[in-house]
Amino acid sequence: MPDWAKDSDGHWMLAYTGTIAFIVDKQQVKEGERPKSWHDLEKGTYTVAIGAVATAAQAACGVLAAAIAYKGDESDIEPGLQLFTKLAQQNRLSLANPTVESLEEGEIAVGVLWDFNALSYRSHIDTRRFEVLIPSDGSVTSGYATVINKYAKHPNAAKLAREFILSDAGQVNLAQGHARPIRADHVKLPPEVEAKLLSNEQYAAAQPIKDAAAWESTLRKLPLLWQEQVVSKTK
């Protein structure tokens, strides 16, 4: 994780992480066609939704995750753009946001989401209907930091809140909401809470953003690239 995820003493202040995942509607995608990887996604016949790449961090990281699976990186997302361009040309790319409502209505067969969003949506709609998984050929993990405003009127109260979030009880509380706590490898989660998360093995091919500066530069270019290369190809 980058240095901005640390406090002034160099300590990690991340509360939980998110990793780009697939949510698959098993009512729409037959068992033999359900994607386990980005390469599987390329060969399918179903509709895929990633959301507003130009404005949403989740969607932008989805493009980066796809790029990584095809040997790209933070400074080279062209492989990811090529995948989504192909989906657009096949009339398989939905420009709708993968939300609880759109998934529940069956408007999206496969959505690209943070794992905690996908797991939460599945729980809200029907755990039997949806499968959630981390693509086996590459994904991106991002951290969500706790922040204390330097002008906070009650900074000690904020410090106590952070202390709770990073405590065993606070980390279990995050997991109950399907977020993968930053101390997941060091906290014993109750079985019923652990069942709300994906297994550790699912994250074998996931990696953090390794070059934050390069990714920030790419993010500034991404909206135009997405519009010109992908959206323009939708039918």
Side-chain angles (χ1 to χ4, degrees):
M1 294 294 176
D3 288 340
W4 52 257
K6 300 178 181 179
D7 68 7
S8 59
D9 296 320
H11 300 134
W12 298 112
M13 290 290 103
L14 297 177
Y16 62 97
T17 61
T19 301
I20 292 297
F22 295 160
I23 183 168
V24 182
D25 187 342
K26 295 189 285 187
Q27 290 182 353
Q28 297 192 59
V29 186
K30 297 179 181 179
E31 186 172 356
E33 292 186 348
R34 292 170 194 164
K36 304 296 183 184
S37 67
W38 296 100
H39 288 76
D40 289 344
L41 207 69
E42 182 179 1
K43 298 178 291 186
T45 59
Y46 38 77
T47 302
V48 179
I50 188 172
V53 169
T55 58
Q58 174 178 260
C61 284
V63 177
L64 175 58
I68 288 171
Y70 287 85
K71 310 305 180 185
D73 56 30
E74 293 87 350
S75 61
D76 177 20
I77 58 166
E78 187 59 31
L81 291 171
Q82 288 177 2
L83 170 62
F84 286 103
T85 297
K86 182 176 293 186
L87 296 179
Q89 291 170 332
Q90 295 172 350
N91 199 29
R92 294 178 50 216
L93 180 64
S94 168
L95 298 180
N97 285 317
T99 62
V100 169
E101 293 77 16
S102 58
L103 287 161
E104 188 170 18
E105 291 298 319
E107 297 172 6
I108 294 167
V110 176
V112 179
L113 293 160
W114 291 126
D115 51 356
F116 56 82
N117 280 335
L119 290 167
S120 177
Y121 295 173
R122 181 181 71 171
S123 177
H124 180 84
I125 304 170
D126 185 349
T127 56
R128 296 166 299 178
R129 176 179 164 186
F130 292 94
E131 179 180 6
V132 175
L133 63 130
I134 307 299
S136 62
D137 50 358
S139 190
V140 170
T141 297
S142 181
Y144 286 77
T146 60
V147 178
I148 297 177
N149 190 320
K150 67 181 294 184
Y151 301 109
K153 293 183 178 180
H154 305 287
N156 290 331
K159 292 174 184 177
L160 285 172
R162 172 185 276 175
E163 185 172 331
F164 170 75
I165 289 170
L166 296 175
S167 72
D168 288 1
Q171 294 282 281
V172 171
N173 186 58
L174 287 170
Q176 286 177 329
H178 306 284
R180 192 170 188 80
I182 194 64
R183 296 178 55 232
D185 295 336
H186 305 282
V187 176
K188 179 64 177 177
L189 299 176
E192 68 276 11
V193 176
E194 189 172 12
K196 294 176 179 287
L197 305 178
L198 298 176
S199 66
N200 290 336
E201 291 76 15
Q202 285 269 2
Y203 294 85
Q207 64 182 53
I209 293 173
K210 297 179 178 180
D211 189 336
W215 181 230
E216 288 180 10
S217 176
T218 297
L219 280 173
R220 290 192 288 270
K221 305 170 189 174
L222 182 55
L224 183 59
L225 292 172
W226 180 257
Q227 182 67 37
E228 290 181 345
Q229 295 189 38
V230 182
V231 177
S232 65
K233 302 299 189 300
T234 56
K235 299 178 181 179

